[in-house]
Amino acid sequence: MFSFRYSTYRLFIIVVTALLYCNNLFAQQGKIVGKITDSGKPISFVNVSLKNTTKGTSSDENGAYELEDIKPGRYVFLATALGYKNYQTTVVLSADEVFYLNIELIPNIESLDDIVVTGTLKPVSRLESPVPVEVYSPAFLQQNPTANIFEALANVNGVRPQINCNVCNTGDIHINGLEGPYTLVMIDGMPIVSGLGTVYGLSGIPNSLIAQIEVVKGPASSLYGSEAVGGLINVITKYPPTAAELAVDGYLTGWGEYNLDIGSKIDLGDKTTVLLGVNYFNYDNPIDNNNDNFTDVTLQNRVSIFQKWNFQRSKLREFSLAGRYLYEDRWGGEMQWSPEFRGTDSIYGESIYTNRWELLGKYQLPLDIPIMFSFSYTDHDQNSVYGTLPYLAQQRIGFGQLTWGPKLNSHDLLFGAALRYNYYDDNTTATSDSFGNQPDEAWIPSLFAQDEITFNEHHSLLLGSRIDYDKRHGTIFTPRAAYKWKLNDLDVLRINAGTGFRVVNLFTEDHAALTGAREVVITESLDPERSFNINLNYLKKIFSSQGTYLNFDTSIFYTYFSNRILPDYETDPNQIIYSNLGGNSISKGISGNLDLSLPNGLKVLLGATIMDVSTEENQVKTRQILTERFTGTWNVSYTVIPWKLTIDYTGNIYGPMRLPLLGELDPRDEFSPTWSIQNIQFTYKDWEGIELYGGVKNLLNWTPNRNAPFIIARANDPFDKNVTYNSNGQVVATADNPYALTFDPTYVYGPNQGIRAFFGLRYRL
């Protein structure tokens, strides 16, 4: 009896549940349908979604869309498309209702343009800037995640991170084929990454705090002084009040690398906001895939702490203060090396300890006229040992600048005064003479003025000049001019011409202490380098009503150098000889960028540069060492909306470069092959504020040793104990040394790190 009642009860429950389920299953739920247009023309591939739900689709080629199977309720409806203002409305949907919603999107061309400050020291839209400026956003950096900005710039057209040493892996940034000393790297417009910082200071800037990176190619000395000869890179950090409450980005690779970026915003009362960033990178896994008994990549332990304070003042006057501390312990060398061998001649290693402080800020003076005081200070302490050779260096750079930018009718003026203090000391002959140690110390005052004259909405002319005084070199005058012809709202033609200069800092001359294998030789009193540059730039933007966006940017450039300082590696394999070039040096070429965004989610950024960089002395023209004839970069991104998956394919390709050989018997090729580094990444976004990403770096598993009998010369004898010299100090070929070589790790043109997988997570609050 009990069994019958229980069975009847179970059957009743099952039947009722099934009926309820079927009623819910077969009941007609609501839908939203409509058409999306611009001035009556349909827009395809517009993203349509209901906020905080998984309901989403995109419009078809006729602009039509349909969201089905929507439960009754109240929803926030969103429609977004590149180049249009976002559309948002509230929809209340009843059961069995078909809700018709036709949408007219409003074009927002301004959103396709960037605000830049680097070209003129004033915020201006990229289209309106008389100086061509390239802008790269955090999204660009995330397409190929890296542990530092140095590596991230590898996918910027015309910009190449150059590794200068196979052992310690230090390097610099080349722009249009010009070496690192000609590139000025700034943070928030302050020239704090120079000299020692050019080699080591680009590591450890937390990517989570970067708002954008601006790149100017060509001399900018009339605004920024020395070192801005070949171009400049301005890393702009986020404005604290608008930054995320918390941003975390961490990843690891198959080689055992770990990188963690943390950024946080803290409100201290109503008028003070603090931006805090921490970067930690660790790599402690010696790998020798090319079997030369040397580490392929330096081992590193690095921490960087960044803090930026923003204070709200009356009348919206600006006041911000930022600071950064960087510590890094890196080493490379023979696989058996450990710290107890530091400085000894039994096991070769290059060990570098870096301590670096940076302070920078902006303060608008409490006056009726807007005068801005900008300042920065850096203190860099370098403790390095290259084999048995110690390299101990200190550099301090102080910088202060006052600017006032009034507008008078058609004249947009800028006046400025700056004072720069340089201090450099090391334990080499660069800072010593017959009287003992002589640190390099200089105060460099400057005055500059700029006038952008607007003739009408299509034509403007910028005139600028700067006067610097250096007691070592006297007065240095650097003028520039820029003409902008705005054909219409989407076409701009620019012509820029100007001069640049660079005072001497021996450490930046290809880093003389890269290895203990070479001696630094200075043959004369070095004069400042001078340059003249002319650049023709054309910018074209195409925007269709279907949501397609195309940006095309091309430049023809020509730079002429006099008094150029070039390191001579070839006269004596045991020396690096520095002197002013008696002739001239020329860098010329053409570059182009194409930025394409399609409404279906495909985004393509392509870049290519063809250049010729050479020197001429005594009527002999020589191609510059470690400079490619052509280079190409690409970033291809596609989002599969139903899968919430973004695919990024990035890469670069470089043409052959002339390489530093050690003599006529050196069996290695004089020119590198054409080579390419390619990467792929998959990013999954399905949770609020969380992204999972992973992929493969260096898909082709390319490394320089693939095309050379060896990369490091005499890796089996790093202290040259078995090298024989003749009476003139030249190396003699022997049975043990048939190619008459000495230990040298400078035959390097690309990264030694092969293929590797990576996996990471981002969180943003």
Side-chain angles (χ1 to χ4, degrees):
M1 185 70 173
F2 174 79
S3 176
F4 173 76
R5 289 179 178 176
Y6 178 71
S7 298
T8 304
Y9 176 75
R10 285 183 58 195
L11 180 62
F12 174 77
I13 294 298
I14 292 173
V15 171
V16 171
T17 301
L19 289 174
L20 291 174
Y21 175 78
C22 291
N23 182 67
N24 183 65
L25 181 65
F26 293 107
Q28 287 189 341
Q29 297 185 353
K31 67 169 61 175
I32 303 175
V33 297
K35 190 173 183 180
I36 304 175
T37 58
D38 171 14
S39 302
K41 297 180 180 179
I43 309 175
S44 57
F45 300 109
V46 177
N47 294 322
V48 174
S49 63
L50 299 180
K51 193 173 182 179
N52 297 324
T53 74
T54 59
K55 297 295 182 182
T57 187
S58 59
S59 58
D60 61 20
E61 64 274 9
N62 299 314
Y65 72 92
E66 182 174 315
L67 293 173
E68 297 182 299
D69 300 328
I70 307 172
K71 295 180 180 180
R74 185 183 185 91
Y75 298 93
V76 176
F77 178 94
L78 297 173
T80 60
L82 183 67
Y84 288 93
K85 295 181 179 179
N86 292 345
Y87 178 89
Q88 178 174 310
T89 189
T90 300
V91 174
V92 179
L93 199 64
S94 303
D96 303 331
E97 179 182 5
V98 178
F99 192 98
Y100 293 94
L101 180 61
N102 294 326
I103 301 168
E104 182 79 8
L105 289 185
I106 301 173
N108 184 20
I109 295 178
E110 290 79 9
S111 69
L112 300 178
D113 203 12
D114 302 290
I115 300 298
V116 297
V117 297
T118 305
T120 61
L121 276 180
K122 287 188 172 185
V124 63
S125 76
R126 188 181 173 205
L127 276 173
E128 298 299 329
S129 173
V131 178
V133 181
E134 297 179 13
V135 180
Y136 298 91
S137 67
F140 174 85
L141 301 177
Q142 291 175 358
Q143 287 182 312
N144 179 34
T146 60
N148 53 61
I149 294 177
F150 178 82
E151 297 177 26
L153 294 173
N155 285 335
V156 176
N157 180 33
V159 178
R160 184 170 66 85
Q162 168 64 40
I163 297 175
N164 292 325
C165 176
N166 273 303
V167 180
C168 61
N169 291 165
T170 53
D172 52 31
I173 302 296
H174 290 202
I175 294 183
N176 286 343
L178 299 177
E179 294 95 334
Y182 303 95
T183 301
L184 178 63
V185 182
M186 305 185 296
I187 299 179
D188 288 337
M190 292 291 98
I192 63 174
V193 183
S194 59
L196 286 167
T198 304
V199 183
Y200 300 101
L202 284 176
S203 301
I205 299 175
N207 289 348
S208 60
L209 301 183
I210 296 174
Q212 65 186 41
I213 298 176
E214 299 180 6
V215 179
V216 175
K217 299 172 182 176
S221 291
S222 64
L223 276 183
Y224 298 101
S226 177
E227 298 175 15
V229 180
L232 60 92
I233 298 168
N234 191 6
V235 180
I236 300 175
T237 59
K238 293 179 179 178
Y239 178 56
T242 60
E245 298 287 343
L246 178 65
V248 180
D249 189 347
Y251 73 86
L252 55 88
T253 76
W255 275 48
E257 299 162 296
Y258 301 91
N259 186 74
L260 177 64
D261 260 338
I262 300 177
S264 177
K265 179 182 71 174
I266 305 170
D267 293 323
L268 301 178
D270 297 331
K271 296 185 178 181
T272 304
T273 307
V274 180
L275 193 62
L276 175 65
V278 177
N279 171 261
Y280 177 71
F281 177 78
N282 181 270
Y283 172 62
D284 192 22
N285 180 35
I287 293 178
D288 177 25
N289 286 338
N290 59 15
N291 299 316
D292 60 4
N293 195 41
F294 272 72
T295 55
D296 291 344
V297 179
T298 53
L299 285 78
Q300 301 176 52
N301 189 38
R302 181 180 69 237
V303 61
S304 175
I305 302 174
F306 180 91
Q307 207 172 62
K308 184 176 182 180
W309 294 64
N310 188 82
F311 305 93
Q312 294 186 20
R313 301 169 58 207
S314 61
K315 299 183 180 180
L316 300 178
R317 293 190 178 103
E318 185 176 351
F319 181 28
S320 64
L321 186 66
R324 183 171 76 115
Y325 171 70
L326 169 72
Y327 173 77
E328 183 181 62
D329 175 4
R330 68 160 64 196
W331 74 270
E334 294 187 88
M335 295 291 288
Q336 311 93 301
W337 191 90
S338 57
E340 61 265 26
F341 296 109
R342 194 174 197 259
T344 68
D345 64 352
S346 54
I347 303 295
Y348 187 90
E350 299 187 1
S351 171
I352 303 164
Y353 301 145
T354 300
N355 277 281
R356 180 177 175 87
W357 296 87
E358 301 170 350
L359 178 69
L360 63 152
K362 293 183 178 181
Y363 179 77
Q364 185 175 339
L365 301 184
L367 303 173
D368 293 334
I369 57 176
I371 297 180
M372 183 70 71
F373 175 57
S374 304
F375 57 92
S376 66
Y377 178 79
T378 66
D379 190 304
H380 190 115
D381 182 81
Q382 193 76 39
N383 184 327
S384 309
V385 174
Y386 303 89
T388 58
L389 177 67
Y391 180 83
L392 309 175
Q394 275 197 330
Q395 183 179 48
R396 295 190 285 270
I397 300 176
F399 182 81
Q401 178 174 273
L402 287 170
T403 54
W404 175 42
K407 291 186 177 182
L408 299 175
N409 299 322
S410 61
H411 296 266
D412 191 352
L413 302 169
L414 177 70
F415 300 101
L419 180 64
R420 178 167 176 161
Y421 170 72
N422 287 344
Y423 175 89
Y424 175 74
D425 189 21
D426 65 25
N427 63 326
T428 73
T429 57
T431 57
S432 64
D433 56 25
S434 58
F435 298 99
N437 188 47
Q438 298 290 332
D440 183 14
E441 189 171 15
W443 292 87
I444 305 175
S446 310
L447 295 173
F448 58 91
Q450 177 179 280
D451 182 11
E452 184 177 355
I453 309 167
T454 302
F455 300 109
N456 51 51
E457 63 176 331
H458 296 290
H459 298 275
S460 64
L461 175 67
L462 181 143
L463 301 173
S465 62
R466 181 186 183 103
I467 297 176
D468 293 79
Y469 177 76
D470 188 324
K471 66 179 182 180
R472 300 166 298 181
H473 308 298
T475 301
I476 304 173
F477 177 63
T478 49
R480 76 164 173 170
Y483 174 75
K484 177 173 69 70
W485 178 16
K486 186 178 178 182
L487 287 74
N488 51 56
D489 288 338
L490 299 176
D491 293 83
V492 178
L493 182 67
R494 302 179 177 94
I495 299 176
N496 279 260
T499 60
F501 76 97
R502 187 173 70 93
V503 297
V504 178
N505 183 328
L506 272 182
F507 186 91
T508 66
E509 313 294 337
D510 293 272
H511 181 14
L514 279 173
T515 170
R518 291 182 183 250
E519 176 189 1
V520 180
V521 177
I522 305 169
T523 61
E524 61 186 350
S525 177
L526 299 176
D527 294 325
E529 296 181 332
R530 304 301 300 263
S531 70
F532 170 77
N533 172 273
I534 187 168
N535 181 296
L536 176 64
N537 173 262
Y538 174 66
L539 175 66
K540 171 71 174 179
K541 289 179 180 286
I542 299 175
F543 172 69
S544 74
S545 59
Q546 284 73 36
T548 298
Y549 167 62
L550 174 67
N551 180 88
F552 177 70
D553 187 348
T554 185
S555 294
I556 300 174
F557 57 89
Y558 177 90
T559 304
Y560 178 93
F561 288 91
S562 59
N563 287 341
R564 192 170 181 190
I565 302 167
L566 292 175
D568 178 1
Y569 290 91
E570 298 171 333
T571 299
D572 189 328
N574 295 310
Q575 296 178 338
I576 304 176
I577 303 172
Y578 295 107
S579 61
N580 284 115
L581 183 68
N584 61 68
S585 178
I586 294 175
S587 169
K588 57 186 177 181
I590 182 171
S591 68
N593 291 306
L594 188 147
D595 188 355
L596 173 67
S597 294
L598 298 178
N600 63 358
L602 178 65
K603 298 180 181 180
V604 180
L605 176 62
L606 301 176
T609 300
I610 300 174
M611 56 189 165
D612 179 17
V613 184
S614 61
T615 61
E616 185 174 336
E617 191 170 23
N618 299 325
Q619 298 182 340
V620 177
K621 183 179 178 180
T622 306
R623 180 177 169 184
Q624 182 175 291
I625 202 167
L626 291 174
T627 302
E628 64 275 19
R629 290 284 195 191
F630 67 88
T631 178
T633 58
W634 62 87
N635 293 58
V636 180
S637 179
Y638 180 70
T639 300
V640 185
I641 296 177
W643 297 353
K644 300 178 176 60
L645 183 69
T646 299
I647 305 171
D648 295 300
Y649 172 51
T650 60
N652 48 54
I653 185 170
Y654 300 106
M657 309 174 194
R658 193 168 72 89
L659 303 176
L661 298 180
L662 297 184
E664 295 181 357
L665 298 179
D666 195 329
R668 296 172 295 183
D669 290 336
E670 182 183 3
F671 290 91
S672 68
T674 298
W675 56 281
S676 174
I677 300 292
Q678 302 176 25
N679 320 285
I680 192 167
Q681 175 184 251
F682 302 90
T683 305
Y684 181 72
K685 306 176 184 179
D686 192 32
W687 304 283
E688 188 70 23
I690 297 179
E691 298 179 11
L692 294 177
Y693 63 90
V696 179
K697 290 180 178 290
N698 197 356
L699 281 165
L700 304 180
N701 195 27
W702 180 90
T703 52
N705 64 290
R706 179 179 297 184
N707 298 90
F710 52 85
I711 296 296
I712 299 177
R714 297 286 294 173
N716 63 321
D717 184 21
F719 298 100
D720 290 336
K721 294 181 178 180
N722 297 317
V723 175
T724 302
Y725 301 89
N726 62 21
S727 58
N728 295 322
Q730 301 297 316
V731 181
V732 176
T734 63
D736 179 67
N737 187 11
Y739 305 119
L741 305 178
T742 58
F743 172 73
D744 191 275
T746 58
Y747 185 91
V748 57
Y749 54 92
N752 286 323
Q753 199 168 18
I755 189 171
R756 61 206 180 276
F758 67 95
F759 177 79
L761 180 147
R762 296 188 188 99
Y763 174 71
R764 179 182 174 88
L765 176 64

